[in-house]
Amino acid sequence: MVIETATREETLAFGVKIGEQVLSGTVICVDGDLGVGKTVLAQGIAKGLGVTEQVVSPTFTIIQEYRDGRLPFYHFDVYRIEDPDEMYEVGFEDYFYGDGVCMIEWAELIRELLPEEHVHITIEKQTDRGPDYRRIRAEGLAE
């Protein structure tokens, strides 16, 4: 599936749709350059799950947990991971194979640790079409 968004709000709305439909145990892997909208997508997914807390990028903490939605939402940012084995320190397996929804920014950095079944989303800027234009490719989502 390919989605094109022209504004931050449209990217957020796509995330909301995902959050409204996603099931317990889903792992969503998101890749894209810095500033492409990965955290905006996470904010939308959280909103779709019913999370009311402010969702921020967990760049320096690796994971943020949100438990006030219909399912727990675990937002990972593994940008600062130097070795995938560092993920064992945060107990990633409990999250990836638990009852919540995981979203992992920069998932390609820990590719070997990802569950075989996961949703993969790639976000790309296309500034020639506008400063906020995004092309979002999603694999593994129900349409």
Side-chain angles (χ1 to χ4, degrees), residues 104-115:
I104 308 155
E105 295 188 31
W106 301 97
E108 75 268 7
L109 298 175
I110 61 165
R111 184 177 309 123
E112 59 268 29
L113 301 177
L114 299 173

Side-chain angles (χ1 to χ4, degrees), residues 67-119:
R67 297 185 175 272
D68 66 331
R70 70 175 174 85
L71 294 169
F73 180 55
Y74 307 118
H75 181 196
F76 287 82
D77 183 329
V78 299
Y79 181 73
R80 300 202 182 279
I81 294 286
E82 293 182 20
D83 182 329
D85 286 342
E86 292 176 42
M87 291 295 290
Y88 288 97
E89 295 173 21
V90 297
F92 80 93
E93 293 171 303
D94 292 336
Y95 296 102
F96 288 10
Y97 301 100
D99 61 353
V101 173
C102 293
M103 183 188 143
I104 308 155
E105 295 188 31
W106 301 97
E108 75 268 7
L109 298 175
I110 61 165
R111 184 177 309 123
E112 59 268 29
L113 301 177
L114 299 173
E116 189 172 315
E117 288 196 30
H118 62 270
V119 173

Side-chain angles (χ1 to χ4, degrees), residues 34-49:
L34 282 170
V36 80
K38 294 181 294 293
T39 300
V40 171
L41 186 69
Q43 291 167 342
I45 292 169
K47 185 174 181 178
L49 285 166

